[in-house]
Amino acid sequence: PSDLDYPRKLLATAATNVVDDAVHAQLQVYESWFPPMKAVLKVLSKLFRVVDPKVFEDIAFQAVQSCTKSLKEAAVYIRSKEGSMDADLFLVKHLLILREQLSPFDIQLRAVERQLDFSEAGKAVTKFLASRNRRIFSMSTENALLTLLREGVSVQEASMDSKRDLEDALRSACNDFIEHSSVQLAGPLLGLVDSCKSATAALSSTVTTTNTNIHAVALREEPFMKADKVQKTLNEAKECMKTQLSPIQQQMAAYLESAAAQSILLKPVMRKISRALEDLKRFLTDIEECESNGWNDISKADTLGSVREIEQFVKEPGTFLFKATSESTK
């Protein structure tokens, strides 16, 4: 459906939005919003000053809850058509807009939902039927029918908070984007570090002495930690970063107009890659040098040099150029 034709709707808006008129430009951006969310915000803005505050808050609570659910469902559709990155950014964009547009209303968006719980009704009925002295017509609190209702039916209360649900959905969307983009940027590196962690964790559960260098023992003969394999993985990671950073930045720019928002969202991605590099350096420092795994002073120096290149790239994404390497990437 055309309502979910993202990111093409955003790209078409950007292509036509070349006029200097700021009002017209903002209207163009407004037209690119997800229609159900746009309708919710339009209705709420019209109702805000014409209905009782408590009535408005109840309407807003239901509307925001439904809107958040609708955005999540739309993201599932976009993920199936365009991929995870577009779905994540679609959610981040619209949940940020929804949160920003709701802030002037200054409302809590909380409610308490009450439901009757009949889970104990069976036991209460059995007890009622088994009782020989039911006192059905008693005018006291010991009346059998009152006891049946009191023990068989209870009221369950659940606190509902649309703002909290919105924040949780936004946080989840940001985390998903960070995960997906970090894999797209440095998948080979992250996979290598995860393999190292799994190998050391498996060995640490069986080793009882504290004097054993877990990293050295666990990784000494692992195929993925041979010198040539590690260098190949790092070269693949560098190639991914060179080729994937620009497309990711273009995707972010299509969904997020603010350069500050783009920067805030990209920083955790780079931090995750930095943590993976620190872990890898620790594994490389501890690994034993032997002929079977190809590690020696020269191979370690070359590999650590590649790690430093990636670290420099992470510090200055988009401006750092990797050096040509003579290592094979086959």
Side-chain angles (χ1 to χ4, degrees), residues 45-66:
S45 66
K46 291 181 179 296
L47 290 176
F48 183 51
R49 298 195 182 278
V50 297
V51 299
D52 182 82
K54 290 185 178 180
V55 174
F56 176 80
E57 187 159 341
D58 185 56
I59 294 173
F61 168 79
Q62 298 291 341
V64 172
Q65 195 173 50
S66 299

Side-chain angles (χ1 to χ4, degrees), residues 4-121:
L4 292 173
D5 192 18
Y6 291 88
R8 277 172 283 278
K9 279 182 68 174
L10 300 172
L11 298 175
T13 299
T16 57
N17 192 11
V18 294
V19 295
D20 294 332
D21 187 347
V23 175
H24 180 76
Q26 186 57 43
L27 286 174
Q28 290 289 331
V29 172
Y30 174 74
E31 288 301 317
S32 70
W33 291 1
F34 184 49
M37 185 192 75
K38 185 167 58 174
V40 164
L41 293 173
K42 185 176 181 179
V43 170
L44 290 180
S45 66
K46 291 181 179 296
L47 290 176
F48 183 51
R49 298 195 182 278
V50 297
V51 299
D52 182 82
K54 290 185 178 180
V55 174
F56 176 80
E57 187 159 341
D58 185 56
I59 294 173
F61 168 79
Q62 298 291 341
V64 172
Q65 195 173 50
S66 299
C67 186
T68 302
K69 181 181 177 182
S70 180
L71 286 169
K72 289 180 180 179
E73 292 172 348
V76 172
Y77 176 85
I78 294 172
R79 181 173 287 107
S80 68
K81 295 296 182 181
E82 302 293 337
S84 296
M85 298 283 283
D86 282 289
D88 297 337
L89 288 168
F90 168 85
L91 262 184
V92 171
K93 172 187 177 69
H94 286 89
L95 290 172
L96 282 173
I97 293 172
L98 185 58
R99 184 176 69 174
E100 179 185 4
Q101 295 296 317
L102 288 173
S103 58
F105 296 131
D106 192 25
I107 49 179
Q108 295 299 316
L109 296 178
R110 293 175 184 167
V112 176
E113 188 178 70
R114 295 179 176 85
Q115 293 181 333
L116 293 178
D117 182 9
F118 294 93
S119 60
E120 299 296 322

Side-chain angles (χ1 to χ4, degrees), residues 249-321:
Q249 289 176 321
Q250 289 172 5
Q251 278 183 297
M252 294 175 67
Y255 285 91
L256 304 172
E257 294 86 4
S258 168
Q262 297 172 35
S263 176
I264 290 171
L265 200 54
L266 191 60
K267 283 180 180 178
V269 177
M270 296 305 174
R271 281 199 297 269
K272 182 172 182 176
I273 298 174
S274 293
R275 288 194 296 269
L277 290 170
E278 290 299 321
D279 291 337
L280 180 59
K281 285 196 294 185
R282 188 172 68 256
F283 292 131
L284 291 175
T285 301
D286 292 342
I287 196 168
E288 293 182 358
E289 297 180 6
C290 62
E291 186 175 346
S292 62
N293 61 25
W295 287 110
N296 52 47
D297 291 342
I298 296 176
S299 59
K300 272 195 176 182
D302 289 343
T303 302
L304 290 172
S306 294
V307 170
R308 285 191 291 271
E309 278 191 75
I310 298 176
E311 285 180 322
Q312 189 63 30
F313 173 87
V314 169
K315 292 178 182 177
E316 304 172 19
T319 61
F320 181 77
L321 296 177

Side-chain angles (χ1 to χ4, degrees), residues 110-155:
R110 293 175 184 167
V112 176
E113 188 178 70
R114 295 179 176 85
Q115 293 181 333
L116 293 178
D117 182 9
F118 294 93
S119 60
E120 299 296 322
K123 293 180 181 179
V125 170
T126 301
K127 183 178 177 181
F128 172 78
L129 295 176
S131 175
R132 294 183 179 180
N133 185 19
R134 297 176 184 169
R135 298 183 182 180
I136 295 178
F137 300 106
S138 172
M139 299 302 291
S140 68
T141 57
E142 295 181 1
N143 182 292
L145 290 176
L146 289 177
T147 302
L148 173 63
L149 291 174
R150 186 170 59 247
E151 295 180 356
V153 182
S154 62
V155 178

